[in-house]
């Protein structure tokens, strides 16, 4: 009965306190609304900011949220009117905070790009990165951790380009929170330490610095690295003093977090005296449920170590009462503490029942963790598969581009070579045509001689290398026969037939040709024939004549000899010459 009376009195006192607090908050709201009507300029913006802050504390209520947004809308218009874009950016960031606190993560994600664009346009970078951080937390809240880490890296790259340490530190803290959600402790710790190193001396970011140290302490304790956690807690305490010294700052939450760390840490280390001291500090400072659980758990372990089992059981029951029928690892940890106490009390039946509950919860947690691991693996598989497909597509594209480049290069080379060859052919054709149009004797012309083994190719060896007057006289008769009678067109022409025409011994004719032209008889005759063939193929009227026909018309008796001699004299085959000549 006495407990019921005490509970009723406590509830009545709490209700009265809440009503008084609510009445006081409403009074402040009314005063600020009245002040808005009486102030202008910067003072009016500050009044709007204070009024918005009061409603912000109550934004979980739908009606209060709508009221807050209506106030912030007027606030934004006034700030924009005064050209104060710092306030405008803060209003947009606060709106994202409201959505986030109400777990309306899609609203945060949908509105963030527009708000960031505005902040970037007006160089409000501090607010820009705060808003970016909220959007990353929204992705984490949705469970979309892949998107969260992508956005966190984009945020860091943006900050790195600006070379702003504060922005880089904020980005690193955001990345750390993503890694924490992914249970990637190594990356989580690494990002936290990098964040701390960057913002250690930046007083405007002391609030972020306290959060970074606090999270570092937690992860070190989770990994049972208690000595390192104690060092980190000492550093956090130094930062708290710096943070508390800032004008207008309440560091109550920071101190509560630190006392909670010390309480759990000294309990784990078995230093119950220090653990109890920080328990008392935390108990007197904070009414937060999480802190109350920390205090009760610590007190239960301290009392159990001191042999005060009834007090220990009472403390741990308070923790379990706060958590209710929660199937979490934290609740199971409290159950573990209670089982130790029940064991010391000798309450076997209750211990057995609690052990069954704890085992069931443990299995549930393990199954949940296993399912989460399966989901993580499935997600990772899909991500890896997508990356592999992109890489394969990229490699195929590179391969295709490489093949195309090789083919195009090959075609260009072939085309260039073909064009060069065609130009060479045309040049040879032009030279051959010029050569064929000048049938005069070229004395001492140095040409490659191709002698045919024939009895008509005999040369008088002892006459001398230079022609005398007799040789020249004989040669004039030979040239006259070539020009007037074109005897080179006769396929069966020989030194004997030429000797009969001139009435001169064949040996003297052979010697004269050799000395005057430096060629043997058949080379000399074939040269006239080739010139004739060049003239024939240069005439359009002979275009329909075949190669064999051209050979015959030029005095050759077979195609093979014609082909060989023609190429020796012109550098190209008769077929190529005929084709290129037709194009000209």
């Amino acid at each position: 009965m006495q407990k019921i009376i005490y509970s009723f009195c406590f509830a009545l006192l709490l209700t009265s306190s809440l009503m008084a607090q609510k009445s006081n908050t409403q009074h402040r709201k009314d005063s600020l609304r009245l002040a808005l009507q009486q102030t202008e300029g910067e003072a009016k913006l500050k009044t709007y900011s204070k009024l918005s802050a009061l409603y912000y504390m109550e934004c979980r209520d739908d009606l209060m949220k709508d009221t807050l947004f209506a106030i912030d809308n007027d606030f934004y218009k006034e700030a924009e009117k005064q050209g104060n874009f710092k306030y405008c950016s803060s209003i947009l960031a606060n709106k994202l905070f409201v959505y986030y606190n109400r777990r309306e993560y899609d609203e945060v994600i949908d509105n963030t790009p527009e708000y960031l664009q505005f902040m970037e346009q007006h160089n409000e970078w501090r607010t820009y990165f705060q808003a970016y951080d909220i959007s990353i937390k929204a992705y984490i809240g949705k469970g979309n951790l892949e998107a969260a880490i992508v956005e966190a890296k984009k945020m860091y790259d943006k900050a790195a380009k600006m070379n702003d340490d504060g922005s880089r530190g904020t980005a690193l803290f955001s990345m750390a929170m993503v890694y924490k959600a992914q249970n990637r402790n190594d990356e989580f710790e690494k990002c936290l330490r990098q964040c701390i190193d960057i913002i250690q001396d930046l007083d405007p970011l002391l609030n972020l610095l306290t959060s970074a140290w606090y999270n570092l302490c937690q992860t070190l304790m989770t990994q049972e690295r208690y000595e390192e956690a104690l060092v980190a807690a000492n550093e956090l305490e130094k930062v708290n003093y710096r943070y508390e010294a800032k004008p207008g700052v309440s560091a109550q939450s920071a101190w509560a977090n630190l006392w909670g760390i010390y309480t759990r840490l000294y309990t784990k280390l078995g230093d119950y005296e220090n653990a109890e001291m920080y328990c008392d500090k935390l108990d007197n400072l904070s009414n937060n449920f999480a802190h109350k659980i920390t205090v009760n758990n610590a007190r239960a372990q301290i009392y159990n170590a001191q042999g005060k089992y009834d007090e220990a059981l009472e403390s741990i029951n308070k923790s379990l009462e706060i958590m209710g029928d929660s199937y979490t690892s934290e609740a199971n940890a409290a159950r573990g503490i209670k089982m130790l106490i029940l064991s010391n009390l000798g309450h076997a039946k209750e211990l057995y029942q609690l052990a069954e509950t704890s085992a069931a919860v443990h299995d549930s947690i393990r199954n949940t963790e296993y399912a989460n691991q399966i989901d993580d693996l499935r997600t990772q598989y899909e991500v890896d598969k997508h990356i592999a497909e992109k890489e394969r597509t990229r490699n195929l594209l590179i391969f295709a581009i490489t093949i195309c480049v090789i083919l195009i290069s090959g075609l260009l080379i072939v085309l260039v070579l073909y064009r060069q060859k065609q130009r060479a052919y045309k040049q040879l054709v032009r030279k051959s045509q010029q050569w064929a149009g000048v049938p005069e004797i070229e004395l001492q012309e140095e040409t490659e001689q191709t002698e045919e083994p024939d009895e008509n190719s005999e040369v008088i060896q002892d006459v001398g290398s230079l022609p005398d007057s007799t040789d020249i006289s004989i040669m004039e008769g030979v040239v006259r026969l070539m020009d007037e009678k074109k005897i080179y067109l006769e396929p069966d022409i020989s030194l004997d037939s030429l000797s009969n025409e001139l009435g001169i011994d064949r040996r003297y004719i052979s010697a004269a040709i050799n000395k005057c032209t430096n060629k043997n008889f058949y080379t000399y005759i074939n040269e006239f024939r080739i010139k004739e063939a060049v003239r024939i193929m240069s005439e359009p009227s002979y275009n329909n004549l075949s190669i064999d026909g051209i050979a015959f018309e030029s005095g050759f008796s077979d195609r093979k000899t014609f082909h060989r001699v023609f190429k020796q004299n012109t550098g190209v085959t008769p077929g190529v010459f005929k084709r290129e000549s037709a194009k000209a």
Side-chain angles (χ1 to χ4, degrees):
M1 183 67 181
Q2 189 176 7
K3 285 187 177 180
I4 295 174
I5 293 173
Y6 283 152
S7 299
F8 177 75
C9 291
F10 177 75
L12 184 63
L13 184 62
L14 181 62
T15 302
S16 299
S17 175
L18 290 173
M19 290 180 65
Q21 186 178 3
K22 186 174 182 180
S23 176
N24 182 51
T25 301
Q26 186 59 47
H27 177 70
R28 290 179 63 194
K29 290 177 181 177
D30 293 340
S31 298
L32 290 169
R33 286 182 182 278
L34 182 62
L36 283 175
Q37 301 174 8
Q38 301 171 352
T39 54
E40 294 294 336
E42 181 76 15
K44 189 169 187 176
L45 295 178
K46 289 182 178 179
T47 304
Y48 263 123
S49 180
K50 292 176 182 178
L51 181 60
S52 177
L54 290 177
Y55 279 98
Y56 177 79
M57 302 300 293
E58 304 169 327
C59 67
R60 288 187 181 275
D61 180 86
D62 289 342
L63 181 60
M64 291 300 178
K65 184 200 81 168
D66 293 340
T67 305
L68 170 62
F69 282 177
I71 292 171
D72 280 350
N73 188 46
D74 294 337
F75 184 11
Y76 185 92
K77 289 179 180 178
E78 182 64 29
E80 189 176 35
K81 178 182 174 183
Q82 294 188 29
N84 194 322
F85 299 111
K86 182 176 182 180
Y87 270 120
C88 289
S89 298
S90 296
I91 294 165
L92 297 177
N94 286 336
K95 193 171 183 179
L96 295 178
F97 271 118
V98 171
Y99 285 134
Y100 177 77
N101 287 333
R102 290 171 57 86
R103 298 186 179 180
E104 297 175 2
Y105 302 130
D106 287 332
E107 292 289 344
V108 176
I109 294 168
D110 291 343
N111 285 286
T112 296
E114 179 185 350
Y115 294 173
L116 291 180
Q117 185 178 4
F118 176 87
M119 295 168 191
E120 183 174 2
Q121 182 180 352
H122 296 287
N123 295 319
E124 295 296 333
W125 296 110
R126 184 61 55 81
T127 315
Y128 175 95
F129 286 104
Q130 289 174 352
Y132 215 144
D133 180 58
I134 300 168
S135 72
I136 293 168
K137 289 178 180 176
Y139 279 114
I140 296 174
K142 284 191 68 175
N144 192 348
L145 301 182
E146 292 299 327
I149 196 64
V150 168
E151 291 300 320
K153 288 178 179 178
K154 286 182 182 178
M155 178 181 174
Y156 180 80
D157 290 341
K158 184 79 171 181
K161 287 180 181 178
M162 295 178 59
N163 198 27
D164 182 273
D165 287 342
S167 302
R168 286 172 58 215
T170 303
L172 282 167
F173 186 79
S174 297
M175 290 176 66
M177 292 301 103
V178 180
Y179 289 133
K180 179 182 180 181
Q182 293 176 321
N183 293 320
R184 295 162 65 176
N185 292 327
D186 291 341
E187 292 96 330
F188 176 44
E189 180 181 344
K190 181 180 178 181
C191 283
L192 285 176
R193 291 190 182 278
Q194 289 177 338
C195 171
I196 290 168
D197 288 343
I198 290 173
I199 66 173
Q200 184 70 40
D201 299 322
L202 300 180
D203 285 348
L205 293 178
L206 284 174
N207 186 31
L208 179 63
L209 186 60
T210 60
S211 297
W213 276 114
Y214 173 68
N215 278 278
L216 182 59
C217 291
Q218 283 191 314
T219 189
L220 292 173
M221 289 177 64
T222 301
Q223 300 173 60
E224 299 183 358
R225 295 157 61 185
Y226 301 126
E227 294 299 332
E228 293 179 65
L230 186 58
V231 173
N234 292 334
E235 292 297 325
L236 174 57
E237 187 170 356
K238 295 176 186 177
V239 176
N240 279 359
Y241 280 118
R242 288 171 58 195
Y243 186 45
E244 187 178 50
K246 292 184 67 176
V249 170
S250 172
Q252 180 177 341
S253 178
W255 285 114
N257 288 337
L258 178 62
W259 302 152
I261 289 289
Y262 275 138
T263 299
R264 297 197 302 276
L265 191 53
Y266 283 121
T267 301
K268 291 289 185 181
L269 292 171
D271 186 349
Y272 297 115
E273 183 178 350
N274 275 321
E276 189 168 13
M277 178 184 69
Y278 286 109
C279 257
D280 293 337
K281 286 187 176 185
L282 182 59
D283 201 16
N284 294 328
L285 184 65
S286 174
N287 288 320
N288 182 283
F289 283 156
H291 293 154
K292 286 297 181 185
I293 292 170
T294 299
V295 168
N296 290 325
N297 286 355
R299 287 197 192 284
Q301 293 178 77
I302 292 168
Y303 290 145
N304 186 56
Q306 294 172 343
K308 301 177 182 179
Y309 303 127
D310 290 335
E311 289 91 335
L313 188 60
E314 182 180 357
S315 292
I316 201 62
N317 282 336
K318 288 180 181 178
S319 283
L320 290 169
E321 185 179 348
I322 292 171
M323 288 185 281
D325 295 328
S326 176
Y327 274 52
T328 63
S329 56
E330 290 81 5
N332 231 27
R335 292 186 185 97
I337 296 171
K338 185 174 181 178
M339 283 191 287
L340 288 174
I341 298 169
L342 291 173
S343 176
N344 290 328
L345 287 170
H347 296 178
K349 182 178 179 180
E350 189 176 354
L351 173 61
Y352 176 74
Q353 292 174 344
L354 188 60
E356 282 189 329
T357 303
S358 181
V361 172
H362 178 74
D363 290 341
S364 175
I365 292 171
R366 186 175 62 183
N367 290 338
T368 302
E369 290 176 349
Y370 177 73
N372 288 337
Q373 289 175 357
I374 293 296
D375 288 340
D376 289 342
L377 288 172
R378 186 182 296 111
T379 301
Q380 188 63 42
Y381 168 75
E382 293 297 333
V383 171
D384 291 344
K385 180 180 176 183
H386 179 65
I387 292 172
E389 287 178 352
K390 286 179 66 178
E391 185 67 20
R392 185 163 54 252
T393 302
R394 177 176 170 273
N395 290 336
L396 287 173
L397 182 61
I398 292 173
F399 178 75
I401 291 173
T402 303
I403 293 299
C404 287
V405 170
I406 292 172
L407 288 175
I408 292 172
S409 301
L411 288 172
L412 288 174
I413 291 171
V414 169
L415 181 61
V416 169
L417 293 175
Y418 175 77
R419 291 174 67 95
Q420 289 178 347
K421 187 176 180 181
Q422 291 301 109
R423 282 197 296 269
Y425 282 160
K426 289 179 181 179
Q427 189 174 7
L428 287 172
V429 168
R430 284 196 298 271
K431 287 182 177 180
S432 298
Q433 288 173 336
Q434 293 172 359
W435 168 74
V438 185
E440 61 188 19
I441 300 173
E442 300 174 8
L443 297 178
Q444 303 300 328
E445 180 182 4
E446 296 182 1
T447 60
E448 183 179 353
Q449 299 182 27
T450 304
E451 299 184 357
E452 297 187 18
D454 187 90
E455 70 277 3
N456 293 308
S457 63
E458 59 186 78
V459 178
I460 298 176
Q461 301 293 329
D462 59 344
V463 178
S465 60
L466 294 177
D468 54 21
S469 58
T470 302
D471 293 325
I472 294 173
S473 176
I474 291 171
M475 197 64 204
E476 287 176 350
V478 172
V479 171
R480 185 170 57 255
L481 287 175
M482 297 297 168
D483 288 342
E484 295 176 359
K485 293 188 176 183
K486 297 184 183 296
I487 61 172
Y488 56 83
L489 296 179
E490 299 174 8
D492 56 351
I493 188 174
S494 65
L495 275 172
D496 289 331
S497 61
L498 190 59
S499 175
N500 292 333
E501 285 284 346
L502 295 174
I504 301 172
D505 189 277
R506 54 174 284 174
R507 289 178 299 168
Y508 291 108
I509 296 173
S510 177
I513 292 173
N514 182 263
K515 291 179 181 180
C516 291
T517 65
N518 222 11
K519 301 174 182 125
N520 64 27
F521 172 74
Y522 275 107
T523 301
Y524 179 72
I525 294 299
N526 284 340
E527 189 174 282
F528 277 91
R529 290 171 173 172
I530 296 303
K531 289 179 180 180
E532 182 66 23
V534 169
R535 283 194 290 269
I536 291 172
M537 284 189 281
S538 300
E539 288 291 333
S541 58
Y542 289 97
N543 284 347
N544 294 328
L545 197 61
S546 67
I547 299 298
D548 289 340
I550 293 170
F552 181 75
E553 289 291 330
S554 303
F556 287 96
S557 58
D558 67 273
R559 177 190 180 97
K560 185 176 180 181
T561 303
F562 174 60
H563 189 281
R564 175 175 57 80
V565 175
F566 191 95
K567 189 170 184 181
Q568 285 176 353
N569 281 272
T570 64
V572 293
T573 63
V576 171
F577 188 96
K578 188 173 185 294
R579 184 178 67 248
E580 295 300 322
S581 179
K583 291 180 182 178

